[in-house]
Amino acid sequence: MFIDTLIEKIREKDNPSVVGLDPKIEYVPSFIKEDMYKKYGKNLKAVAEAILLFNKYIIDAVYDIVPAVKPQLAYYEMYGLEGMRVFYETCKYAKEKGLLVIADGKRNDIGSTAQCYSAAYLGKTDIDEGISEAVFDVDALTVNPYLGVDGIKPFIDDCVKYNKGIFVLVKTSNKSSGEIQDILTQEGRSIYEIVAEYVESWGENKKGKYGYSCVGAVVGATYPNLAKILRKILKNSYILVPGYGAQGGTARDVAHCFNYDGLGAIVNASRSIMCAYKSEQWKNVYSEEKFYEASRAEAIRMRDDINSALRDRK
Amino acid sequence: MFIDTLIEKIREKDNPSVVGLDPKIEYVPSFIKEDMYKKYGKNLKAVAEAILLFNKYIIDAVYDIVPAVKPQLAYYEMYGLEGMRVFYETCKYAKEKGLLVIADGKRNDIGSTAQCYSAAYLGKTDIDEGISEAVFDVDALTVNPYLGVDGIKPFIDDCVKYNKGIFVLVKTSNKSSGEIQDILTQEGRSIYEIVAEYVESWGENKKGKYGYSCVGAVVGATYPNLAKILRKILKNSYILVPGYGAQGGTARDVAHCFNYDGLGAIVNASRSIMCAYKSEQWKNVYSEEKFYEASRAEAIRMRDDINSALRDRK
């Protein structure tokens, strides 16, 4: 099961954090960029090759210290067909290095269409009678719950069938997330609480050997007080926590998403790791040519920062 | 402006309906499928070529009678990189035939990431200083509002800058859409009403010459009573209506999404048009080899069915 493997990798590496691979060409060091512009011209092909190489450098730098990577699909779709190829190649490379891959796509649709998304990322696509193929074949996918259970069930079915996972948006990290998610119902409960209860119920009877289900939740690091409430509702669900680092969430903030045994959450950072070589903390320690060492240093700092906050909480 | 062009094409063709291009290999007639299997083997490449040809036949059969097509991204992502190429080629071909293209992707994310999705479909992607490129370059995109305005604003900005449109999910056509969308707030209003009010406010000051804004809404044909309420709230927003045909919505149902001048809504049908040659109504009229004539006949039947329901209402 995905969630069991995730927990085992978290324990093995003593690291409940994932590296977000949300690359923009602006993040790629000049020496890689210029090299590709020279080779292919200033076009999408050059940009794609530069980003793929950048991603591989970062994966090489962190694969032995993190359990998973989280590529954000928007950043690949942005570069068109070449970008989607980079997404595919990046996932493949990460899996070869023993990393779990959580595709952040926030996909959602009515049942029959959700089934197609699920086939694309978690399950298999039918080619002809008796012949099917895993396409993007990642380990987990983020999904949006606005359409209710019949848009979620096809993903869950594939999670069970193919040992995969999903993370359902509950409370997102952005400023305006409350416009819908914080609305109070007639019973005085918020939409995010109701969605959290759905998530918990959708994962019932789908638990792995450590008690967590294949249906996880997304709860932003930027709302630590809500995280406390949601951690209680989401008894058997793992929480994927974006918003640490560049978005302003601290290790103390994210600690609320964890259970007291140190399990129950996995924290993502993207920009702060990918662009570590440009940061105040690391830019004078590592040259641009050694950008990946800055990424590794930042990934280690993040791991230690979160682990220390978890220890302090005990 | 997209919305002005849409209205002009609707008037010119006297047809407020769009053809959904949501192709599965199972929908493609055997003679096309077998041909491609022979050529390429039973693999994703063969499937992609078969679907692309199928799409082109359907576009050829309907481009002079419908204003737009609506490819559903999930059906292309399902076939991997080859599928995304088919999406790109299909959009290109439809645009060459003078059709507007509404990509149904229900994309959503926090602001910085929403910006990437918007660049992919509506705006442009930066390649290097001063160089940018339109990537998938469709006319409009469906988006999911669960993250609130800061996940929507990047799309709206590109709508204004590049003359594009979005359709925000308000009330979807599926059975379980009410699980979140129908929840009543403390003031006794439903989530779909609140979202509709957001949509209306997001489109303020972004109206074209016919009074409709670049921010539209998605309201399923399967909830005709709610459509009446939503048509009133969405004063300046066009409504994209899925759920007609295969999902059970009738012309009388969808009529509630229109204003009395015959504008204000555009109705989608996918399976009933793509698979018309397999339907009770058309399978004895057109052979499988003439599947595209069945699609055309069904598209005309749908147009007349909706126009007749709109006339009856007056």
Side-chain angles (χ1 to χ4, degrees):
Chain A
M1 263 185 91
F2 160 75
I3 200 67
D4 292 343
T5 312
L6 179 65
I7 289 168
E8 285 157 12
K9 283 183 189 285
I10 289 169
R11 282 178 168 159
E12 180 197 317
K13 291 169 175 171
D14 190 26
N15 188 357
S17 76
V18 301
V19 171
L21 296 173
D22 313 359
K24 278 186 162 179
I25 189 63
E26 297 92 304
Y27 299 170
V28 178
S30 317
F31 75 96
I32 294 181
K33 232 166 31 181
E34 293 307 325
D35 200 33
M36 295 301 173
Y37 287 151
K38 251 181 237 161
K39 228 170 178 165
Y40 302 104
K42 288 196 173 176
N43 53 37
L44 287 171
K45 169 79 178 165
V47 164
E49 292 299 329
I51 288 174
L52 180 56
L53 192 56
F54 178 62
N55 279 355
K56 285 184 174 179
Y57 267 112
I58 290 178
I59 291 170
D60 285 344
V62 300
Y63 78 89
D64 60 327
I65 51 171
V66 298
V69 287
K70 182 176 78 66
Q72 163 56 259
L73 270 154
Y75 286 79
Y76 299 89
E77 288 176 57
M78 177 167 69
Y79 297 105
L81 298 178
E82 285 291 336
M84 288 306 289
R85 186 177 56 81
V86 174
F87 171 74
Y88 175 83
E89 296 286 348
T90 298
C91 294
K92 195 166 156 253
Y93 192 76
K95 285 185 285 180
E96 283 166 10
K97 292 282 175 179
L99 290 164
L100 289 169
V101 177
I102 302 165
D104 197 352
K106 300 182 174 60
R107 295 302 194 251
N108 64 105
D109 215 295
I110 63 166
S112 52
T113 305
Q115 211 160 14
C116 299
Y117 279 131
S118 185
Y121 297 99
L122 307 177
K124 288 185 175 184
T125 296
D126 289 335
I127 288 178
D128 196 23
E129 234 169 283
I131 306 177
S132 60
E133 202 169 305
V135 177
F136 290 114
D137 199 23
V138 296
D139 298 294
L141 180 70
T142 59
V143 299
N144 181 311
Y146 190 67
L147 284 83
V149 69
D150 60 30
I152 300 289
K153 201 177 168 299
F155 295 106
I156 299 178
D157 291 346
D158 279 342
C159 285
V160 172
K161 196 167 169 192
Y162 298 103
N163 290 321
K164 306 283 186 172
I166 54 169
F167 293 93
V168 182
L169 299 191
V170 171
K171 174 69 186 173
T172 56
S173 60
N174 59 314
K175 260 194 182 173
S176 71
S177 67
E179 284 180 6
I180 294 177
Q181 298 161 28
D182 293 1
I183 290 175
L184 292 178
T185 69
Q186 290 192 313
E187 295 79 30
R189 290 151 71 231
S190 62
I191 298 295
Y192 62 78
E193 283 177 280
I194 291 173
V195 175
E197 283 166 18
Y198 280 132
V199 168
E200 185 58 22
S201 72
W202 295 335
E204 250 175 35
N205 308 319
K206 287 171 186 65
K207 282 181 265 181
K209 54 184 168 182
Y210 306 111
Y212 291 98
S213 85
C214 58
V215 187
V218 175
V219 177
T222 44
Y223 297 99
N225 290 328
L226 307 189
K228 286 183 212 172
I229 298 165
L230 290 169
R231 181 64 279 171
K232 279 180 196 152
I233 299 174
L234 294 160
K235 280 187 199 70
N236 305 300
S237 300
Y238 237 75
I239 299 179
L240 172 65
V241 191
Y244 173 91
Q247 285 183 56
T250 68
R252 278 187 63 182
D253 294 336
V254 304
H256 300 300
C257 293
F258 287 80
N259 286 316
Y260 279 87
D261 60 358
L263 292 177
I266 186 143
V267 183
N268 178 75
S270 306
R271 249 175 306 163
S272 57
I273 291 177
M274 281 188 299
C275 300
Y277 73 100
K278 296 181 176 186
S279 70
E280 283 307 313
Q281 178 147 25
W282 303 113
K283 72 179 180 189
N284 298 320
V285 184
Y286 300 101
S287 69
E288 191 169 314
E289 282 68 32
K290 301 275 183 188
F291 69 94
Y292 47 91
E293 292 189 4
S295 293
R296 182 180 175 87
E298 176 58 21
I300 290 172
R301 194 207 58 74
M302 178 185 175
R303 175 196 69 191
D304 295 345
D305 185 33
I306 294 168
N307 280 338
S308 146
L310 291 179
R311 269 193 309 273
D312 288 352
R313 204 170 65 129
K314 276 172 189 168
Chain B
M1 260 185 92
F2 159 76
I3 199 69
D4 292 342
T5 312
L6 179 66
I7 289 168
E8 284 157 13
K9 283 182 189 285
I10 289 169
R11 283 178 168 158
E12 180 196 318
K13 291 169 175 172
D14 190 26
N15 189 355
S17 75
V18 302
V19 171
L21 295 172
D22 312 0
K24 277 185 162 178
I25 188 63
E26 297 92 305
Y27 299 170
V28 178
S30 315
F31 75 97
I32 294 181
K33 231 166 32 180
E34 293 306 327
D35 201 34
M36 295 301 174
Y37 286 152
K38 251 180 235 160
K39 227 171 181 165
Y40 302 104
K42 289 197 173 177
N43 53 38
L44 288 170
K45 169 79 179 164
V47 165
E49 291 300 330
I51 288 174
L52 180 56
L53 192 55
F54 178 63
N55 280 354
K56 285 184 174 179
Y57 267 111
I58 290 178
I59 291 169
D60 284 344
V62 300
Y63 77 90
D64 59 327
I65 50 170
V66 298
V69 288
K70 182 177 78 65
Q72 163 57 258
L73 271 154
Y75 285 79
Y76 300 88
E77 288 175 57
M78 177 168 69
Y79 297 107
L81 299 178
E82 285 291 336
M84 288 305 290
R85 186 177 57 81
V86 173
F87 171 74
Y88 175 82
E89 297 287 350
T90 297
C91 294
K92 196 166 156 256
Y93 192 75
K95 284 185 286 180
E96 283 166 10
K97 292 280 174 180
L99 291 164
L100 289 169
V101 176
I102 302 166
D104 196 353
K106 299 184 174 60
R107 296 300 194 251
N108 65 104
D109 216 295
I110 64 166
S112 51
T113 305
Q115 211 160 13
C116 299
Y117 278 130
S118 186
Y121 297 100
L122 306 177
K124 289 185 175 184
T125 296
D126 289 334
I127 288 176
D128 195 24
E129 234 169 285
I131 305 177
S132 60
E133 202 168 305
V135 177
F136 291 114
D137 199 22
V138 296
D139 298 294
L141 180 71
T142 59
V143 299
N144 180 311
Y146 191 66
L147 285 81
V149 70
D150 58 30
I152 300 289
K153 202 177 168 299
F155 295 105
I156 299 178
D157 291 346
D158 279 341
C159 285
V160 172
K161 197 168 170 190
Y162 298 102
N163 290 320
K164 307 282 186 172
I166 55 169
F167 293 94
V168 182
L169 299 190
V170 171
K171 173 69 186 172
T172 56
S173 60
N174 59 314
K175 260 193 182 173
S176 71
S177 68
E179 285 180 5
I180 294 177
Q181 298 162 30
D182 292 1
I183 290 175
L184 292 178
T185 68
Q186 289 191 315
E187 294 78 30
R189 289 152 70 231
S190 61
I191 297 296
Y192 63 78
E193 284 177 279
I194 292 173
V195 174
E197 283 166 18
Y198 279 132
V199 168
E200 186 57 22
S201 73
W202 293 336
E204 251 176 33
N205 308 319
K206 286 172 187 66
K207 281 182 264 180
K209 54 184 167 182
Y210 305 110
Y212 291 98
S213 84
C214 58
V215 187
V218 175
V219 177
T222 43
Y223 297 98
N225 291 328
L226 307 189
K228 287 184 212 173
I229 299 166
L230 290 169
R231 181 63 278 169
K232 280 181 196 150
I233 299 174
L234 294 160
K235 280 188 199 68
N236 305 300
S237 299
Y238 237 76
I239 300 180
L240 172 65
V241 191
Y244 173 90
Q247 285 182 57
T250 69
R252 279 186 63 181
D253 293 337
V254 304
H256 300 299
C257 293
F258 286 80
N259 286 316
Y260 279 86
D261 60 358
L263 292 178
I266 187 145
V267 183
N268 177 75
S270 306
R271 249 174 306 162
S272 57
I273 292 178
M274 282 189 299
C275 300
Y277 73 102
K278 295 181 179 188
S279 70
E280 282 308 314
Q281 176 146 25
W282 303 112
K283 70 178 180 190
N284 298 321
V285 184
Y286 299 102
S287 68
E288 189 167 315
E289 282 67 32
K290 300 275 182 189
F291 69 96
Y292 48 90
E293 293 190 4
S295 293
R296 183 180 174 86
E298 175 60 21
I300 289 173
R301 195 207 58 74
M302 177 186 176
R303 175 196 68 191
D304 296 344
D305 185 34
I306 293 168
N307 281 340
S308 147
L310 291 179
R311 271 193 307 272
D312 289 350
R313 204 170 65 128
K314 276 173 191 168

